[in-house]
Amino acid sequence: MSGTRAAPVPPEASVERRGCQRFVARRRGEPCFWVVMDGARIPLNDLSADGFSYPLATPPASGQAFDFVLQRDGVPDEIHGRAVVVNFLAGSAQAGCSFVSLDGDGAERLRDWLIAHVLMTATVRITEKDAAAIVSGPSLI
């Protein structure tokens, strides 16, 4: 064992800000969720009931709500809404966004999308009830 120690993590850095579990937006190594903004279709890094993150090399305008459309691979269903950028990580070149609103039944359809995603990507057998509990549960990462 080495004599070096990791620097302590400040308490505020270890607190998860997301209320809901986030899910990697890939299936079998390929993007499976997309966001369309200003006519550009961008693969998501992750998606949750609270928001999403996407790759972005330069800092976006923060604090301003923008329109978006969520899409999932191979399904014609779309979810429309508004979001706001809440953080930008230059080191990993990504922007994190929080939903301001989802149109119509968008929140329910997003929940269904996430439950289906959990069921399709689970490495152990789980039930739909288990998947729903994961989706609606607190963030684990």
Side-chain angles (χ1 to χ4, degrees):
M1 184 168 176
S2 121
T4 61
R5 294 180 146 200
V9 176
E12 63 277 3
S14 64
V15 175
E16 173 59 45
R17 288 180 292 129
R18 293 191 189 204
C20 295
Q21 180 62 35
R22 70 181 97 176
F23 302 95
V24 174
R26 299 180 80 76
R27 191 175 309 123
R28 293 182 294 282
E30 296 295 322
C32 59
F33 294 108
W34 303 80
V35 64
V36 178
M37 298 180 294
D38 296 325
R41 186 174 189 241
I42 304 164
L44 293 181
N45 293 335
D46 64 57
L47 179 63
S48 77
D50 294 334
F52 58 88
S53 72
Y54 67 97
L56 188 66
T58 58
S62 62
Q64 298 175 0
F66 60 89
D67 293 326
F68 68 87
V69 177
L70 293 178
Q71 299 175 334
R72 61 182 178 155
D73 201 39
V75 179
D77 191 21
E78 295 182 334
I79 296 173
H80 295 252
R82 291 184 59 76
V84 63
V85 173
V86 293
N87 65 23
F88 174 73
L89 303 173
S92 57
Q94 72 176 359
C97 302
S98 179
F99 295 132
V100 173
S101 64
L102 296 173
D103 296 352
D105 64 348
E108 292 83 22
R109 285 188 293 122
L110 177 58
R111 183 178 179 276
D112 291 344
W113 286 15
L114 293 172
I115 290 169
H117 183 64
V118 169
L119 287 168
M120 288 187 272
T121 58
T123 57
V124 297
R125 183 170 287 219
I126 62 172
T127 66
E128 187 171 341
K129 183 178 177 179
D130 296 332
I134 292 167
V135 168
S136 62
S139 180
L140 302 173
I141 58 172

